[in-house]
Amino acid sequence: MQDYPQYRSQQKLIHWLSAVLVILAFLLIMFKIILSHFLGGMPNIYLLHKSIGVLVFIVTIWRIKVIIQYGIPDVLDKHQRLQRILSKSTQGFIYIFLLIVPLSGYLMSSRLLNVFGLVSIPAIDMPNEFYLFFHSTHLISSYLLAVLILVHILGALYHYFWLKDKVLQSMLAK
């Protein structure tokens, strides 16, 4: 019998799907030269990266909808106010950046966005300065997202190894 709150199975699915998609998008760009030899060239690398970005955006919208609909379980100790503030703000900023990074990625390009070769999203015509702004936004927010994800992972490991509570288990399969 479980004696700790659990996230809904849908929330767990969204969490781990987001993690996999973000890791894939990151790896595609970090190892684009090597991967381009296996994936048919740089245009395919960028097609996959952008397509995964669209999925990250959609999954994040879905995640926010599920949170609004069902809420989230209260897995943190109510007496640890600072810990709760840090946790909630880190998660909140992760959600914000999971929207900003793909959106700025789309807006930084002056080209049609082809999603997995299935759907085409037209480019938005803007002055060149806007493209440059969104390019900078994409890079900076990507780094900030990476830092927040590392903080999130370290927080989960801190709960598991040092506090020995069930915070990490609440997001794992039953």
Side-chain angles (χ1 to χ4, degrees):
M1 183 81 153
Q2 294 171 314
D3 59 347
Y4 58 93
Q6 281 280 306
Y7 283 86
R8 299 173 68 84
S9 57
Q10 186 180 36
Q11 290 170 314
K12 293 176 186 180
L13 170 69
I14 294 169
H15 178 270
W16 295 109
L17 178 60
S18 295
V20 168
L21 291 172
V22 168
I23 290 167
L24 285 175
F26 173 77
L27 290 175
L28 278 169
I29 292 304
M30 289 305 297
F31 299 103
K32 63 185 172 191
I33 304 294
I34 295 166
L35 291 173
S36 68
H37 300 297
F38 301 103
L39 297 174
M42 290 301 247
N44 287 344
I45 294 292
Y46 287 113
L47 170 74
L48 284 172
H49 178 75
K50 292 174 183 181
S51 298
I52 291 169
V54 170
L55 288 180
V56 167
F57 188 83
I58 291 167
V59 168
T60 303
I61 297 292
W62 177 27
R63 175 182 243 170
I64 292 168
K65 179 191 169 296
V66 168
I67 289 171
I68 291 168
Q69 185 174 4
Y70 299 110
I72 55 172
D74 196 8
V75 297
L76 295 174
D77 183 356
K78 292 181 185 349
H79 300 97
Q80 298 294 330
R81 188 161 188 223
L82 179 60
Q83 189 179 98
R84 292 172 72 82
I85 290 169
L86 288 172
S87 172
K88 299 299 180 192
S89 59
T90 299
Q91 289 174 350
F93 280 113
I94 287 173
Y95 299 152
I96 289 168
F97 285 116
L98 286 173
L99 294 172
I100 290 174
V101 172
L103 187 58
S104 61
Y106 165 66
L107 293 172
M108 75 182 216
S109 178
S110 58
R111 297 190 176 107
L112 176 87
L113 175 58
N114 190 334
V115 183
F116 294 113
L118 301 171
V119 177
S120 294
I121 302 171
I124 297 175
D125 191 31
M126 298 179 281
N128 196 44
E129 302 83 45
F130 284 27
Y131 296 119
L132 296 173
F133 169 77
F134 287 119
H135 184 266
S136 296
T137 301
H138 187 68
L139 287 176
I140 292 167
S141 58
S142 296
Y143 290 125
L144 290 172
L145 176 61
V147 168
L148 288 168
I149 289 171
L150 285 174
V151 168
H152 181 66
I153 292 167
L154 290 172
L157 294 174
Y158 171 74
H159 278 276
Y160 186 75
F161 289 110
W162 281 274
L163 296 180
K164 298 190 185 314
D165 60 17
K166 302 292 185 182
V167 169
L168 179 60
Q169 288 89 329
S170 68
M171 188 49 82
L172 298 175
K174 292 183 192 181

